[in-house]
């Protein structure tokens, strides 16, 4: 199973919005609603921030939002804050397994 | 609150074996599958597979068959990852993660660094 495709890096200034894409196929992202996003700070475990494409777990700020169109899912972070600087990973269910994206490093300028 | 607490870092020689534990608390252990995820140094997340915490049935991702074994001890709400015939390329942080829906990992262990070096 090939990894989902994410941009290696994105950047934005405080207060701006950024979007991270996650491209798969009709066998994973395009075929199921089970797309999640995780935030990982250096040396820490990943944290679930979006599940089932667009749902936020309790405690995750509404600055984080998710969507999907066809085989591509997207994570949007609005009102960027310094603490948002981290690595972000998408994942998707696919035929009895899970596949992650390669990860995107977000830099807050 | 839900917690997954993993065992500490390990330094092993090539060819040796290692067993990583993941102790769960704060929820009914058999009700949720536990997954294992590998992260090599400076690399991304890689899904290794999962174990049904009710039946103990493991499922392994491609590339993680043969030397990797998932197991449980339900009496202490603990999952285990055993890796045999260790190679340098097994050096990584290994995470356990609870699956709350389908491929949705809401709680993660703190990670266990396994270093394989002669």
């Amino acid at each position: 199973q090939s990894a989902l495709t994410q941009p290696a890096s994105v950047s934005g200034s405080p207060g701006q919005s950024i979007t991270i894409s996650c491209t798969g196929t009709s066998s994973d992202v395009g075929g199921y609603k089970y797309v999640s996003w995780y935030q990982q700070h250096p040396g820490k475990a990943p944290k679930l921030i979006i599940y089932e494409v667009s749902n936020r777990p309790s405690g995750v700020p509404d600055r984080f939002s998710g969507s999907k169109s066809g085989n591509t899912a997207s994570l949007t972070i609005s009102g960027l804050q310094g603490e948002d600087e981290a690595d972000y990973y998408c994942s998707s269910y696919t035929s009895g397994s899970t596949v992650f994206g390669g990860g995107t490093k977000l830099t807050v300028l | 609150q839900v917690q997954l607490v993993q065992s500490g870092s390990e330094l092993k020689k090539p060819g040796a074996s290692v067993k990583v534990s993941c102790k769960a608390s704060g929820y009914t252990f058999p009700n949720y599958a536990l997954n294992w995820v590998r992260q090599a140094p400076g690399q991304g997340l890689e899904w290794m597979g999962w174990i049904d915490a009710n039946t103990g049935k493991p499922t392994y991702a491609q590339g993680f068959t043969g030397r990797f074994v998932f197991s449980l001890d339900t009496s202490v709400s603990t999952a285990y990852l055993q890796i045999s015939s260790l190679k340098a390329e097994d050096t990584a942080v290994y995470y356990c993660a609870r699956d709350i829906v389908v491929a949705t990992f809401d709680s993660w262990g703190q990670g266990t660094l396994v270093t394989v070096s002669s």
Side-chain angles (χ1 to χ4, degrees):
Chain A
Q1 182 62 46
S2 299
L4 307 175
T5 301
Q6 298 181 229
S9 63
V10 298
S11 63
S13 300
Q16 288 186 330
S17 295
I18 63 95
T19 297
I20 299 172
S21 61
C22 170
T23 301
T25 69
S26 58
S27 296
D28 39 61
V29 173
Y32 303 95
K33 68 177 183 178
Y34 301 111
V35 176
S36 300
W37 289 90
Y38 300 88
Q39 176 191 62
Q40 186 181 35
H41 287 109
K44 300 295 187 182
K47 173 188 174 185
L48 178 68
I49 56 173
I50 296 289
Y51 68 97
E52 291 181 12
V53 176
S54 59
N55 294 307
R56 277 178 288 105
S58 174
V60 174
D62 59 7
R63 302 186 294 104
F64 294 86
S65 62
S67 62
K68 188 179 82 166
S69 177
N71 298 335
T72 298
S74 298
L75 171 70
T76 297
I77 309 174
S78 58
L80 268 180
Q81 299 182 3
E83 67 211 49
D84 299 333
E85 186 161 293
D87 294 326
Y88 292 84
Y89 295 91
C90 63
S91 75
S92 175
Y93 174 78
T94 171
S95 302
S97 64
T98 299
V99 61
F100 284 100
T104 298
K105 180 176 182 58
L106 168 61
T107 301
V108 180
L109 302 170
Chain B
Q1 75 284 18
V2 175
Q3 267 196 309
L4 299 175
V5 178
Q6 298 184 224
S7 48
S9 298
E10 301 267 10
L11 173 60
K12 296 291 185 181
K13 294 188 183 303
S17 295
V18 69
K19 194 169 187 177
V20 177
S21 66
C22 170
K23 182 170 178 58
S25 62
Y27 70 96
T28 303
F29 185 72
N31 286 3
Y32 299 91
L34 280 169
N35 289 250
W36 290 95
V37 176
R38 182 171 77 178
Q39 187 169 37
Q43 302 301 308
L45 304 175
E46 187 175 17
W47 183 73
M48 301 174 64
W50 65 285
I51 185 164
D52 186 322
N54 184 40
T55 65
K57 178 180 183 292
T59 299
Y60 301 97
Q62 290 180 16
F64 293 99
T65 56
R67 297 189 300 115
F68 300 84
V69 176
F70 307 149
S71 61
L72 300 173
D73 184 343
T74 55
S75 68
V76 289
S77 300
T78 300
Y80 300 94
L81 163 65
Q82 184 161 359
I83 311 171
S84 58
S85 303
L86 283 162
K87 308 173 183 180
E89 50 264 43
D90 294 323
T91 294
V93 174
Y94 293 84
Y95 293 101
C96 60
R98 187 181 79 154
D99 189 341
I100 55 164
V101 182
V102 174
T104 303
F105 309 145
D106 75 322
S107 296
W108 293 66
Q110 82 274 23
T112 296
L113 173 62
V114 175
T115 303
V116 184
S117 175
S118 54

